[in-house]
Structures are given as C-alpha cells and as structure tokens.
Amino acid sequence: MSDVLQQLAQVLEQRKLQTADQSYVASLYAKGLDHILKKIGEEATETVIAAKDGDKDKIVYETADLWFHCMVMLAHQELGPEHVINELQRRFGLSGLQEKAQRDAS
C-alpha cells in the first residue's frame, strides 16, 4: 500500500520541475501554500458530505482527493508520506489518551 504513496510522492517531486501550464500539480505549487491549503479544506468538506450521505464509492473518491491534496501539501513543505507513516508507527500501540498526554506534556 505504501508503495503507491511513495510512487505518488516521486511524481509530485517531478511536477516541481514543470510549469503551471504543463501540470495541475505544478499549477498548485505555483499558486502557493495558501491555495494548496484551500484545496485541502474543500476536499475535506467534500469528504465529510460524502460520509454524511453514506455513499461508499463517493466516500472513497473524495478521500482519495483529500489524501492527494495533502500529499501535495507535504511535498510543498519538503515532506513525504514516510514522515506521516513514521509518526503513525510511533503512535501505534499508544492509546489516544496516552498520545494526547504526551503532546500536552511537551
């Protein structure tokens, strides 16, 4: 599964070398972080609406859009999916309450 995320991360890095008229992702990079974050907000809202509607196909579709735009944001910030996966692995086995207590202590 994470192979797909790594492949996507590589493509997103390649898109940094293209111009906005060559690639949708390059156009997002050109418009800057605020525009990318706005897209994430839009996709998050569409994901919530799909979940409320209960249409499983649409939930998957909208979640894919959300993850994609989050990956664009990570790449824009010089981060990759491995950073998020490492954080999730760090949290694995911790209860949500323990994880929150650790955050609050720092």
Side-chain angles (χ1 to χ4, degrees):
M1 228 185 315
S2 65
D3 288 345
V4 171
L5 296 178
Q6 283 300 332
Q7 290 171 356
L8 177 56
Q10 290 172 355
V11 170
L12 295 176
E13 284 301 314
Q14 293 167 358
R15 296 301 186 260
K16 289 180 177 179
L17 304 174
Q18 295 184 327
T19 61
D21 62 336
Q22 293 176 304
S23 156
Y24 171 70
V25 172
S27 74
L28 290 174
Y29 291 144
K31 292 175 184 173
L33 182 61
D34 285 348
H35 184 77
I36 295 167
L37 297 176
K38 181 179 176 190
K39 286 300 296 178
I40 290 172
E42 290 171 9
E43 298 303 341
T45 300
E46 290 171 4
T47 302
V48 168
I49 292 168
K52 290 287 283 177
D53 290 345
D55 182 334
K56 292 187 185 323
D57 290 337
K58 194 160 186 175
I59 293 167
V60 170
Y61 182 89
E62 295 301 345
T63 300
D65 280 352
L66 176 59
W67 286 15
F68 175 84
H69 286 89
C70 287
M71 291 277 296
V72 171
M73 179 268 304
L74 288 170
H76 187 271
Q77 299 289 70
E78 305 299 329
L79 295 167
E82 68 277 4
H83 294 97
V84 177
I85 290 168
N86 290 342
E87 176 61 16
L88 289 171
Q89 286 175 332
R90 184 191 71 76
R91 294 180 188 186
F92 196 81
L94 285 179
S95 78
L97 296 175
Q98 288 173 315
E99 195 278 329
K100 183 175 180 339
Q102 285 180 356
R103 274 188 288 144
D104 291 344
S106 46

